[in-house]
Amino acid sequence: MKGVIPFWLVEFANKITKIPFAKKILKPIYYSYKKRINKQRNKNFKEHSLETLRAFDKCMVENGFNYMLTFGSLLGAVREGGFISHDLDIDVMMYAEEHNDILQQKLYNAGFRLIRRFSIDNATL
């Protein structure tokens, strides 16, 4: 896609800016690119979030897994009838007992990748 900054360049910039000397030298360039990257990421989320949530729901329902919206996604659904304009993620949860390798594989096959995982009360996932 034209105008999209490669992921490796974003990661490199994030690592370089943690070095105080490099950060001072590259600050003007970094922040102009960071603003551009965030703008593109936000635009992509707004364009594809509902489609992504529908695909996730379809995969979960077809395979008999229970989940629920949480945090900003739940608030947006109830209060806004959609997504909150400044919320740029989709929050879902499920009970630890229902999480298993089959679920992971089904979601992977549907095109989803695990980025973060949280557990409460020492539940092992």
Side-chain angles (χ1 to χ4, degrees):
M1 284 193 302
K2 186 178 178 182
V4 175
I5 299 170
F7 180 75
W8 67 267
L9 184 57
V10 174
E11 289 298 306
F12 177 73
N14 286 331
K15 287 179 183 175
I16 289 294
T17 56
K18 291 179 182 171
I19 303 168
F21 177 74
K23 184 176 182 176
K24 189 172 188 173
I25 292 172
L26 298 172
K27 188 175 183 177
I29 297 167
Y30 172 74
Y31 285 108
S32 67
Y33 277 107
K34 185 174 182 176
K35 186 176 180 179
R36 184 174 157 204
I37 291 165
N38 286 340
K39 186 177 179 181
Q40 182 65 42
R41 186 184 65 211
N42 297 353
K43 179 182 173 196
N44 286 340
F45 178 80
K46 291 189 185 302
E47 288 177 3
H48 302 288
S49 56
L50 186 57
E51 174 186 339
T52 301
L53 185 55
R54 284 183 178 147
F56 178 80
D57 180 67
K58 180 180 178 188
C59 180
M60 296 296 279
V61 169
E62 283 179 354
N63 293 292
F65 294 110
N66 296 309
Y67 77 97
M68 57 203 96
L69 293 177
T70 59
F71 307 118
S73 298
L74 178 59
L75 179 63
V78 172
R79 188 179 74 187
E80 311 286 329
F83 291 96
I84 297 173
S85 62
H86 62 274
D87 190 15
L88 299 171
D89 64 357
I90 300 171
D91 307 303
V92 297
M93 62 131 330
M94 67 185 305
Y95 292 108
E97 300 83 38
E98 294 186 36
H99 186 275
N100 58 45
D101 292 338
I102 296 169
L103 167 66
Q104 289 291 120
Q105 190 60 48
K106 296 287 184 179
L107 288 170
Y108 186 85
N109 292 344
F112 292 94
R113 304 295 176 264
L114 180 64
I115 296 173
R116 252 178 244 113
R117 177 181 299 164
F118 298 95
S119 70
I120 300 174
D121 296 332
N122 297 323
T124 52
L125 302 175

